[in-house]
Amino acid sequence: MSRNGLLEGIQEVGRDPALLLIEIGWRWGFGLIVVIITAFSAFLVLDSLSVNPRRVQAMAALNPLQLAQDIAVGIASIHRLIWRAAFSAGLALTAIWVLFSALGRYATLGRAALRPGASLQLCFVVSLLRAIVTVASMAGWFLAGLVAAGLASAGGKDKPSVGLMSAILLLAFLIIVSAWSTLNWFLSLVPLTGDSTWRESVLKTLTLLRSRRDELLEISITNGILRFGLFVVAVLLSLTVSNVITNARILIADLLAISLLYFVCADFLYMAKLIAIRKLPNTSVTRPLSDVLSRPDTTMIIAG
């Protein structure tokens, strides 16, 4: 039934192209803003550097290790400016993403295939929580790096233990990515319940996870396989184009076109997945939240 639901979702997106256009609009609009803000921040940082032509010519004669050391010294001299630029750009992009994500999801939920959708206020709350989860995950990864470096150097040796550091970072990466994926996926389902209040939306989402976990898993796996297949096709096309075309400008244009086509197809499948999940039958929640959470079969599913 869930495969039929995903197929029905694909058909719904085909019948209502506005769903895909809205999704592409807010995602690609945010991507364009990311490029602009990143380029502007890089320009400000590079503009603060004083370039000595003789020094640049001397660096060209250095071996890769010496060149990397010189670049590291140059970056260290302006590390405060880099941190300020990164913090300001990150804060601005986070606020813009929350705005674009909330408005974009609210607009898609207003279409017939996903109606009735959540309120605009709930969409803002969900987007804000997803942003907080992402920032917390990045902070956790940074903290894990500091802990790994400290433990690897705790022995007092001249060289830190690279193996220990790698093991700690790998374990931290798996834990952080798993937690981020689970929370982010769960929050993405909350606006699909059609309730205007946060509590009722969370309760209905938990009930959906408990009662329809098999269908949710099948929809997510099928969608993930399709998206992975698209990614493989995009990579193969990019490699083929790179080996055939020698003109740099034409090559860049072709690679950009392949990337954009992949993102269009990925957004198409994502909207189809949301529609398939939205059409899953759900029962009303009359029990308190503690009863729903205490059920042993309440299961979280990590999906792409």
Side-chain angles (χ1 to χ4, degrees):
M1 179 180 296
S2 56
R3 281 193 295 267
N4 294 334
L6 187 59
L7 180 60
E8 185 179 352
I10 293 175
Q11 294 173 348
E12 286 284 354
V13 178
R15 286 193 292 264
D16 187 6
L19 278 167
L20 181 60
L21 293 177
I22 294 172
E23 192 73 9
I24 290 176
W26 81 261
R27 288 184 182 274
W28 291 25
F30 174 73
L32 180 61
I33 293 176
V34 169
V35 173
I36 294 174
I37 292 181
T38 302
F40 181 71
S41 301
F43 174 78
L44 291 179
V45 172
L46 294 176
D47 187 58
S48 64
L49 295 176
S50 57
V51 180
N52 188 341
R54 294 183 178 179
R55 180 60 179 168
V56 174
Q57 293 178 356
M59 291 176 63
L62 298 176
N63 60 56
L65 180 59
Q66 292 175 330
L67 180 61
Q69 291 176 345
D70 277 16
I71 293 176
V73 171
I75 293 176
S77 64
I78 57 170
H79 69 280
R80 292 184 179 179
L81 178 60
I82 294 177
W83 277 111
R84 286 199 299 267
F87 178 78
S88 301
L91 187 62
L93 290 175
T94 300
I96 294 172
W97 184 88
V98 170
L99 176 64
F100 275 43
S101 175
L103 293 176
R105 185 58 61 236
Y106 179 72
T108 55
L109 292 176
R111 307 301 299 178
L114 293 172
R115 194 179 298 157
S119 64
L120 181 59
Q121 180 181 3
L122 181 61
C123 290
F124 268 109
V125 171
V126 170
S127 296
L128 180 60
L129 289 176
R130 294 180 69 178
I132 291 174
V133 168
T134 301
V135 172
S137 300
M138 296 172 63
W141 174 249
F142 180 76
L143 180 61
L146 294 178
V147 172
L151 293 177
S153 304
K157 300 179 181 179
D158 295 335
K159 294 183 179 180
S161 176
V162 178
L164 178 60
M165 184 183 302
S166 301
I168 295 174
L169 289 177
L170 177 60
L171 179 61
F173 176 79
L174 294 176
I175 294 175
I176 292 173
V177 169
S178 299
W180 175 83
S181 300
T182 302
L183 292 174
N184 195 56
W185 178 77
F186 175 80
L187 290 173
S188 69
L189 300 181
V190 172
L192 299 178
T193 59
D195 288 285
S196 58
T197 63
W198 167 256
R199 181 179 181 277
E200 290 298 325
S201 297
V202 171
L203 288 175
K204 280 194 174 182
T205 304
L206 291 173
T207 301
L208 179 66
L209 291 175
R210 187 188 70 249
S211 61
R212 300 292 173 180
R213 58 171 177 252
D214 293 337
E215 291 90 337
L216 284 170
L217 182 60
E218 187 175 351
I219 290 173
S220 300
I221 291 177
T222 304
N223 185 268
I225 292 174
L226 291 175
R227 293 183 66 173
F228 179 75
L230 286 174
F231 178 76
V232 171
V233 171
V235 171
L236 293 177
L237 283 176
S238 300
L239 293 176
T240 303
V241 168
S242 301
N243 292 328
V244 172
I245 299 177
T246 57
N247 188 293
R249 293 182 179 179
I250 298 178
L251 177 60
I252 293 175
D254 288 342
L255 293 178
L256 181 61
I258 293 173
S259 300
L260 293 179
L261 182 60
Y262 165 76
F263 286 125
V264 169
C265 295
D267 289 339
F268 183 93
L269 290 176
Y270 183 76
M271 292 307 303
K273 184 184 76 170
L274 291 185
I275 294 173
I277 294 175
R278 179 67 181 87
K279 291 183 178 297
L280 288 177
N282 196 3
T283 56
S284 60
V285 180
T286 58
R287 298 183 305 277
L289 179 60
S290 58
D291 292 345
V292 177
L293 292 175
S294 63
R295 289 293 298 272
D297 54 350
T298 301
T299 306
M300 292 293 181
I301 306 169
I302 301 176

